[in-house]
Amino acid sequence: MSFVRNLARPMLASSFVAAGLDKLKNADDTAQQLSPLLKKAAASLPFRADERTLARVIGGTQVGAGVLFGLGKFSRLSATVLTVISLLNTFVEWRSADVSTKAGREARRNQLLKNVSLSGGALLASVDTAGKPGLAWRAEHIAADAKKTTGKQLHKADKAVRRAVEQATGA
């Protein structure tokens, strides 16, 4: 792992871990923010959603994925989870922000920009292969190698069949 990755991953993860811990400590506040969204989604959910429990699950997931990402374990998966949670948090915080005053609107805009920036950083990290080939590259090269090997084997088999025919007709 490069020096930059060793430095950048924990830096990016720290914000997610801190936000997740805050959600765990203040589950009631987070539940209050989630409530309007869950009321609209309740009809389409196959289970009864408790806002407080969901707030804790989101906070715990955010802490877990942030720690894994910061340590460089399951980096792409944990960054993907952080991206999804960050976008959900961005939407919930944007909807529940106070916009009755100019200061409230400015705070809402600043929070939105911060959250979108963090989501972008996590999204970039979710596709970072750390210098190793990605799955698409591997699949493409496996297919090309298989095609090459199959062609060689068919050519050898064709030669063997021709020799066998020549020996059978010549004998």
Side-chain angles (χ1 to χ4, degrees):
M1 186 182 290
S2 74
F3 174 74
V4 172
R5 282 188 186 91
N6 278 333
L7 185 63
R9 281 187 178 148
M11 289 171 67
L12 182 58
S14 65
S15 178
F16 291 106
V17 171
L21 289 172
D22 187 51
K23 280 180 182 35
L24 287 172
K25 279 196 277 186
N26 303 316
D28 291 331
D29 294 339
T30 305
Q32 187 178 8
Q33 288 179 332
L34 286 171
S35 184
L37 184 65
L38 281 179
K39 284 179 185 173
K40 289 183 181 180
S44 61
L45 293 175
F47 54 87
R48 185 184 166 281
D50 176 43
E51 291 94 356
R52 194 158 194 242
T53 303
L54 184 61
R56 286 182 176 156
V57 167
I58 290 172
T61 302
Q62 197 167 356
V63 169
V67 168
L68 285 173
F69 180 71
L71 294 173
K73 305 295 180 192
F74 305 105
S75 299
R76 293 174 72 187
L77 175 64
S78 57
T80 302
V81 169
L82 290 173
T83 301
V84 170
I85 289 175
S86 179
L87 290 172
L88 174 67
N89 289 339
T90 300
F91 179 72
V92 169
E93 288 176 8
W94 182 77
R95 284 187 49 108
S96 64
D98 176 31
V99 292
S100 60
T101 65
K102 184 177 179 181
R105 286 189 297 274
E106 285 181 17
R108 177 186 184 189
R109 182 185 60 109
N110 290 338
Q111 188 70 15
L112 176 68
L113 290 173
K114 179 194 72 116
N115 286 342
V116 168
S117 299
L118 284 172
S119 298
L123 185 61
L124 275 174
S126 72
V127 296
D128 178 30
T129 61
K132 298 175 186 167
L135 292 177
W137 184 90
R138 290 178 193 178
E140 182 181 321
H141 282 77
I142 287 172
D145 290 345
K147 184 178 178 182
K148 208 182 295 182
T149 302
T150 304
K152 287 179 184 177
Q153 293 300 326
L154 285 173
H155 184 70
K156 285 181 184 178
D158 184 49
K159 277 186 176 179
V161 168
R162 288 177 193 255
R163 262 188 258 130
V165 169
E166 286 176 5
Q167 288 176 352
T169 56

